[in-house]
Amino acid sequence: MGHPFEPFMREAIALAEQGRWHAAPNPTVGAVLVKDGDIVARGYHTACGQPHAEVECLRDAATQGVDPSQCSLVVTLEPCNHYGKTPPCSKAVLDAGIRHVVIGLLDPNPKAKGGAEFLRENGVLVDSGVLEQECRDLVTDFLTWVETPLPYTILKLASTLDGKIATRNGNSRWISGPESRARVHELRRNVGAVIVGGTTFRKDNPQLSCRIEGVEKQPLAVIITSQLPNVPEAYKLLTERPEQTIFWTSEESAATDAAKGLRDKGCTVMPLPVMEGDTLGGRDIGYGLRWLRNEHKCLYTLCEGGGRLALAMLELGLAQEFQLHMAPKIMADAKAPGLFDGRAPATMEDVLGLRMIATEKSGDDIIITLRRRED
């Protein structure tokens, strides 16, 4: 048997999602007031610097003529207990006369935690851990920012039902449908950088831009490759927005004439160090991601493959979210490139395990959202 307030927590989670992107670098949080088995007020954290979800919910209650003291508060994240850009929500909850609070996830931020303890000390009944995993998934971006120096990275790939990402001669336009492609442009609008591997750059000649009318700022374009282009004019990125294009490459490639030519056009050419402990000379992608967050204030990045880069991002724990756009198409060609490449497990115990957290229909496609099992 689950907790009786689980259905209301699911509503709070759905509300919180409406604040996605805008709340950053704060967590996305939703809250509802429940009276006699019905939701009577709602709120979510709409944007950084704006009132938190609990306060928005109390404001909605006032508008609806609801007395909060007669309600239970259901909130996805523990009410904060400190003065930041806004006063502590724990005090606002107590001052509203609420006597029962249901929490999804206790706040992992040491600066803000303690709201549950404060409320209990003041006679409020507090239940915690209701749909805890779902509420943790809701704030994985925030946890990434608090616990690591990395941006939150979304890995996105499109494939056929048999896991192919292009034909054997490299054609991939279009595997997914127009609705899914529009979803990608929404992602690009909200991230600070789009990352691809060198093979994808050379074969697809992508723009890596958000083609939504009215977008004011385009994401940076990052290409990871040891083979820098000698003919920049052949690539859309290098003719249309070289100043927003970054190459992550080896020390040797960064010192070539090709690198100088790219820098002369306005591109950034940045050598990545060899990953510590990697005897094969693999580049430290994490170093580049930390640089994006530190130097360009990128809280979110989007990686769009190809297969070897995608696998590395998952294996190294650098992609916190994987969105697979699966189209109802079958290629049935063993020589066509697959979603991932670079492993040879001997048994099923050696495979890379993922955890499904959401599925949704997108036109004719299915979008499956996954994380690594330990995340």
Side-chain angles (χ1 to χ4, degrees):
M1 289 289 291
H3 194 282
F5 277 77
E6 282 187 7
F8 307 120
M9 186 63 76
R10 293 193 190 281
E11 176 68 17
I13 290 171
L15 278 169
E17 283 290 356
Q18 296 183 42
R20 179 71 61 200
W21 313 114
H22 308 293
N26 291 347
T28 50
V29 182
V32 297
L33 283 173
V34 179
K35 182 180 180 182
D36 299 329
D38 293 318
I39 294 175
V40 293
R42 295 169 169 82
Y44 66 95
H45 187 36
T46 59
C48 181
Q50 296 301 307
H52 290 182
E54 300 92 328
V55 174
E56 291 284 9
C57 189
L58 291 172
R59 287 181 174 181
D60 186 45
T63 301
Q64 304 290 339
V66 171
D67 180 2
S69 69
Q70 303 302 307
C71 305
S72 296
L73 174 70
V74 180
V75 60
T76 58
L77 186 67
E78 178 182 12
C80 64
N81 199 44
H82 79 303
Y83 283 88
K85 292 185 177 180
T86 60
C89 291
S90 56
K91 187 175 186 304
V93 171
L94 186 66
D95 290 346
I98 295 171
R99 310 309 299 166
H100 181 211
V101 176
V102 180
I103 297 170
L105 177 69
L106 296 177
D107 199 327
N109 185 357
K111 294 181 179 179
K113 68 180 183 180
E117 182 180 356
F118 169 83
L119 291 169
R120 287 192 181 105
E121 288 173 349
N122 285 276
V124 178
L125 174 64
V126 178
D127 297 337
S128 62
V130 177
L131 297 184
E132 182 176 5
Q133 185 60 64
E134 290 89 334
C135 291
R136 183 178 299 277
D137 286 334
L138 182 66
V139 295
T140 304
D141 51 1
F142 175 69
L143 296 177
T144 300
W145 304 325
V146 170
E147 298 173 355
T148 80
L150 297 167
Y152 182 81
T153 297
I154 300 168
L155 170 65
K156 172 265 162 187
L157 295 173
S159 83
T160 59
L161 287 176
D162 51 341
K164 302 301 182 179
I165 61 174
T167 63
R168 66 168 66 189
N169 62 3
N171 181 266
S172 61
R173 295 189 178 181
W174 297 102
I175 287 178
S176 56
E179 296 86 356
S180 297
R181 297 199 297 274
R183 167 78 169 259
V184 173
H185 287 287
E186 284 290 342
L187 286 173
R188 290 179 181 179
R189 170 157 65 179
N190 289 293
V191 302
V194 179
I195 305 166
V196 297
T199 300
T200 298
F201 171 71
R202 288 185 290 274
K203 286 188 175 181
D204 293 353
N205 193 9
Q207 293 173 287
L208 304 183
S209 59
C210 172
R211 294 187 284 281
I212 296 176
E213 189 174 350
V215 169
E216 296 180 0
K217 185 179 180 181
Q218 291 290 347
L220 298 170
V222 180
I223 300 99
I224 307 177
T225 181
S226 59
Q227 302 174 38
L228 297 177
N230 289 307
V231 187
E233 294 75 18
Y235 297 94
K236 296 173 184 176
L237 272 174
L238 306 183
T239 57
E240 295 174 4
R241 52 191 194 109
E243 295 84 1
Q244 296 174 316
T245 302
I246 299 165
F247 287 90
W248 289 346
T249 190
S250 65
E251 294 278 357
E252 296 77 14
S253 292
T256 60
D257 289 341
K260 181 181 183 303
L262 291 170
R263 292 187 181 107
D264 288 343
K265 286 189 68 68
C267 300
T268 298
V269 180
M270 175 181 165
L272 291 184
V274 174
M275 191 160 49
E276 186 174 346
D278 191 335
T279 58
L280 299 177
R283 296 291 147 185
D284 190 347
I285 302 170
Y287 177 93
L289 291 171
R290 293 189 294 273
W291 176 81
L292 282 175
R293 181 171 170 186
N294 290 334
E295 296 298 320
H296 291 279
K297 312 304 178 190
C298 291
L299 291 175
Y300 294 98
T301 62
L302 174 64
C303 177
E304 297 191 31
R308 284 186 175 272
L309 173 59
L311 178 62
M313 296 291 281
L314 287 173
E315 285 192 312
L316 297 170
L318 298 175
Q320 292 79 24
E321 178 177 325
F322 172 28
Q323 289 191 13
L324 173 58
H325 295 204
M326 183 169 285
K329 301 172 183 177
I330 298 173
M331 204 167 293
D333 182 353
K335 294 185 178 180
L339 275 167
F340 299 101
D341 185 26
R343 287 181 128 231
T347 68
M348 288 304 296
E349 285 72 27
D350 299 324
V351 304
L352 181 63
L354 300 176
R355 176 172 60 90
M356 189 183 305
I357 64 170
T359 60
E360 63 180 289
K361 199 168 184 296
S362 175
D364 290 333
D365 305 334
I366 292 291
I367 296 180
I368 307 171
T369 303
L370 307 106
R371 302 195 197 284
R372 284 185 49 151
R373 283 203 176 275
E374 60 266 31
D375 295 341

